[in-house]
Amino acid sequence: MTNPLLTAWGTPFGLPPFQAIRDADFAPAFEAGLAEARAAIAAIADSSAPPSFANTIDALELAEATLDRVSGVFYNLAGADSTEAREALMRDLAPKLSAFSSEVTNNKALFARIDALWQGRKALRLTPEQARVLDLYRQMFVRAGAQLEGDAAARLTEVKSRLAVLGTTFSQNILAEERDWFMELSEADLAGLPEFVVDTARAAGAEKGAAGPVVTLNRSLIVPFLQFSPNRELRRRAYEAWVARGANGNAQDNRGVAAEILALRAERATLLGYGSFADYKLEPEMAKTPAAVRNLLMRVWQPARAKAMADAGVLERMMEAEGIAGPLEPWDWRYYSEKRRHAEHDLDEAALKPYLSLDAMIAAQFDCAARLFHLQFTPLDAPMYHPDVRAWEVSRDGEHIAVFIGDYFARGSKRSGAWCSAMRSQRKLGGVVTPVVVNVCNFAKGTPALLSYDDARTLFHEFGHALHQMLSDVTYGFISGTSVARDFVELPSQLYEHWLEVPEVLQTHARHWKSAEPMPAEMLQRLLAAGTYDQGFATVEFIASAMVDLAFHEGPAPADPMQKQTEVLEALGMPHAIRMRHATPHFAHVFSGDGYSSGYYSYMWSEVMDADAFAAFEEAGDAFDPVTAVKLERFILSAGGSQPAEDLYVQFRGKMPGVDALLKGRGLLDPV
């Protein structure tokens, strides 16, 4: 039987033929892709022709075409719709793909060709984009150990292979913990919960095969449960299960996995000649050094902590007024904070959500993109990998730009969180290739699906990443879309969140799902006025996680990461009623791969820029100012990694911003 992953896809816009693909097709497709790539790379490395940009860099760009295509499908499905077969194949692939990557970067003949081009680059008459790609290729090889010899090179290969296995293990352990745990609720336990929480709990119970409603560890259910359940003991049980993911002393315990990952990362840095893994990891980022990261985080920590401590005092007094002795505990914060928000801002999430249906907010994000970048989104009637998944063709002035896929609802086969990925990235080399971009979320499914304001913000955030992929306009896939410095990659996503706060956007799209009436003007004003509400809490839980991440990597690897976590939090003076956003055993950003290791700070680094970037529209007097939008697309969204991130930002804005815009945006400049 023909493997559909290895044949031409006669589908609309070259989408994967999801209905024809079976799990059994992936392993042979990967083997074929690896064999093809190895042959192509050997031909480049062993060529008798003198190295040229075309026969070396261009050829490398196209050498892994089949492998890239198969990987684009498989890893998207493995994260969004996992099966036992896919999880098993992920475990099998991790060391194989790591070994292949090491083969490439350890190929001395191949590196010699790249290095020869780089050494003689001034005579090559390269375009600016080609010069940037050559720089980045050489940097990638050097940082992967291409200049190491003998035992050091062999050991680095072993380290990277083991890290790939451990990252997969860490991620799958979290998925198993989240999939397996749930807490059954009696009808009496539903007292005080808004209808949307009750409906979500009943739907979760049906999915789990329980006799009645349940609370799961999915954020779209557990957070509103913690906000609204008056049963303190149930809140405690749910919260403690949520924060204990990966630390339950079972087969999915991630504490030992994290310790081994940190030790191997430290060894990797040493082999490559760096003082610490943080030094190694931050070198190509905008921050450059651990000291710069620490400086940013600590400048924000003190005002954030002061605000959080003041808020904690208010919440504890509310609790005591109900006859409950202190102290305020972490499972109390969201419950009393929601009560306080209702009292001070007259905002009731149960009353707000009917105006924030998923369909309405999708229309809002598309409308903003149309007004800013003249994009059109047309629903696609094409088979997807799950019945819940939707797709749109993205075009501009009749020209096809991309395919956008939205996978919005929580299910047991999907890892938690929200993310953006590309099944196919944009490039022009070898023919125009348009991107296929996926946004994955974990919203509660309903009829209709109703979002919290935070959910709507998440939707806009991930769509900002999608725009970065869809509007990419470069020749080389190596630098397309989100292939930028890690502390720059969150700029487009966090910037796009600002358009959700533009009053006219909500006035137009925030309509009651039943009556189609717009959100009352008074409610809209209260919602926007509460934009910085509880930012002390949000900032403290984020910075605590970022500081622990940095501490793990800027010195010797801790033998006991949990003890190191405790020491860092104690030194910070972490408020008793707030915990890290991501405790070590389920800190997937840091341990499911190297992506955000030493880099969790990047959300805040990017926020410094996104506050300043949106100010450019405000200074123009129009959130949809066409001149500023053109500059945003040209220098940020379409440019990919074609220039250093700081250069791109300065071309857009004129200069780099300071931290005050972030503090103002979070309401942390206000008196406590």
Side-chain angles (χ1 to χ4, degrees), residues 43-180:
I44 299 167
D46 299 338
S47 173
S48 59
S52 68
F53 197 89
N55 71 19
T56 303
I57 302 302
D58 283 357
L60 276 173
E61 279 282 286
L62 302 175
E64 300 176 20
T66 298
L67 187 59
D68 288 343
R69 181 167 76 154
V70 176
S71 296
V73 178
F74 176 74
Y75 283 103
N76 274 278
L77 296 187
D81 196 24
S82 181
T83 64
E84 288 186 8
R86 291 168 190 171
E87 291 183 22
L89 183 56
M90 282 182 72
R91 294 190 292 270
D92 184 54
L93 285 171
K96 290 182 180 180
L97 294 179
S98 176
F100 168 70
S101 176
S102 292
E103 283 176 31
V104 174
T105 53
N106 290 345
N107 188 314
K108 300 302 182 185
L110 180 59
F111 178 65
R113 295 178 71 86
I114 295 170
D115 194 48
L117 290 172
W118 188 81
Q119 298 293 345
R121 61 194 181 279
K122 291 182 180 179
L124 295 180
R125 297 183 179 179
L126 302 177
T127 68
E129 184 177 332
Q130 288 175 323
R132 173 71 170 163
V133 168
L134 178 58
D135 276 345
L136 291 175
Y137 259 99
R138 185 180 184 277
Q139 180 189 88
M140 178 183 72
F141 272 70
V142 170
R143 287 172 55 79
Q147 294 176 313
L148 295 183
E149 302 285 349
D151 291 345
R155 178 55 185 161
L156 183 60
T157 296
E158 293 172 0
V159 167
K160 289 192 288 186
S161 178
R162 181 60 179 161
L163 282 170
V165 171
L166 291 170
T168 300
T169 299
F170 191 95
S171 185
Q172 292 188 354
N173 284 346
I174 299 171
L175 177 61
E177 293 265 89
E178 293 172 343
R179 185 171 53 217
D180 294 344

Side-chain angles (χ1 to χ4, degrees), residues 259 261-264 266 552 555-560:
I261 287 173
L262 293 174
L264 290 171
F552 279 161
D560 182 351

